[in-house]
Amino acid sequence: MSKVVLQAKNREKAGSAESRRIRKAGRIPAVIYGRSGKAVSIDLDSSEFIKSTKGISESTIVKVDVSHSAGAQDKSYDAFVKATQRNIIDGKILHIDFYEVESGVALRAKVSLILQGNPIGVREGGMLEAPAHEIEIECLPKDLPERIEIDISGLKANQSLHVRDIPLAEGVRLLSNPDQVVALVKFAKAEAAAAVAATDAAATAPAAAAAPDKKAPAADKKASSSDKK
């Protein structure tokens, strides 16, 4: 998808009173944090932000065009939407934190994993489990994928896919544990049959132990006759 571009205004005043005024005007107070620790206070149109960022992932880089008051130069930032603070009652966005990324400087990010296809093992009666939903990678901003799509249609029963099996583009380095399981198919029918067999075996064992030995009384009778002699 094309890069999302957000229009913002530089915010010179700070404080809760100013933030309330901004929200009342239909805008959202925000901060762009730089790698050096420098922060730029801005505000954005609420409706535009919600519409423009719908469907983006945590690893999507957006462009924020910041306009300044007269006498100051406008500036653009490439950044992540790092965090959004919402009202717990109505869900409206109260504040946004952006994190600036610099061209040519490697960054670390968590990228969502999207599983595609219906595994062979599931069609045969197995059950799909997906323990991992994202992986951490390191790369230049230009090489950062928004999401990683994985075809699992060939996954058979009792087979698993690990992080090390995920194909990554050139220039992208894996940071997550390569042995972490991404998807696996458990053969539920076989497991259920084994559980039933184990239960039946456990129930039969005590019954067999409690059954009386019919030969024992005859032996006792014989022993008593020989005592009388």
Side-chain angles (χ1 to χ4, degrees):
M1 64 182 286
S2 57
K3 183 178 288 187
V4 173
V5 180
L6 302 171
Q7 303 298 325
K9 294 180 180 179
N10 184 59
R11 183 163 50 99
E12 297 179 356
K13 296 181 181 180
S16 55
E18 178 65 10
S19 293
R20 284 195 297 269
R21 185 193 68 78
I22 291 171
R23 295 187 193 105
K24 192 174 180 179
R27 300 181 68 79
I28 307 171
V31 175
I32 302 175
Y33 292 97
R35 291 174 59 90
S36 61
K38 183 181 178 181
V40 179
S41 296
I42 62 172
D43 63 79
L44 313 93
D45 181 85
S46 178
S47 299
E48 181 200 357
F49 175 81
I50 294 171
K51 182 180 179 180
S52 300
T53 58
K54 186 177 181 180
I56 70 170
S57 67
E58 292 182 6
S59 59
T60 302
I61 298 177
V62 300
K63 183 179 180 183
V64 185
D65 289 338
V66 182
S67 61
H68 290 70
S69 54
Q73 186 176 1
D74 297 347
K75 191 173 180 180
S76 293
Y77 300 85
D78 285 334
F80 293 117
V81 179
K82 196 68 176 177
T84 55
Q85 179 186 350
R86 294 178 179 271
N87 186 310
I88 59 173
I89 297 175
D90 57 20
K92 289 184 178 179
I93 300 175
L94 301 176
H95 191 274
I96 306 167
D97 285 341
F98 292 95
Y99 183 78
E100 182 186 9
V101 297
E102 298 179 35
S103 178
V105 178
L107 55 84
R108 295 185 174 190
K110 290 183 178 180
V111 181
S112 298
L113 300 176
I114 308 298
L115 304 182
Q116 295 185 327
N118 186 18
I120 294 173
V122 171
R123 298 199 297 271
E124 293 175 345
M127 186 178 354
L128 175 66
E129 293 186 7
H133 303 288
E134 61 183 16
I135 59 171
E136 187 175 12
I137 61 173
E138 183 180 65
C139 62
L140 295 175
K142 67 180 182 66
D143 297 323
L144 180 66
E146 289 188 30
R147 55 183 63 83
I148 297 176
E149 298 179 351
I150 308 169
D151 182 10
I152 58 170
S153 56
L155 205 59
K156 298 179 180 179
N158 299 320
Q159 281 190 340
S160 57
L161 180 78
H162 298 80
V163 167
R164 62 175 174 267
D165 301 319
I166 300 174
L168 297 175
E170 186 178 352
V172 178
R173 186 167 73 91
L174 178 68
L175 297 179
S176 294
N177 183 354
D179 295 326
Q180 184 178 7
V181 175
V182 173
L184 71 156
V185 176
K186 288 186 175 181
F187 205 62
K189 288 182 179 178
E191 290 179 357
V196 170
T199 303
D200 290 344
T204 304
D213 189 351
K214 293 181 180 179
K215 293 182 181 179
D220 290 345
K221 211 175 228 183
K222 204 169 187 182
S224 307
S225 301
S226 80
D227 287 344
K228 284 182 183 178
K229 287 179 183 179

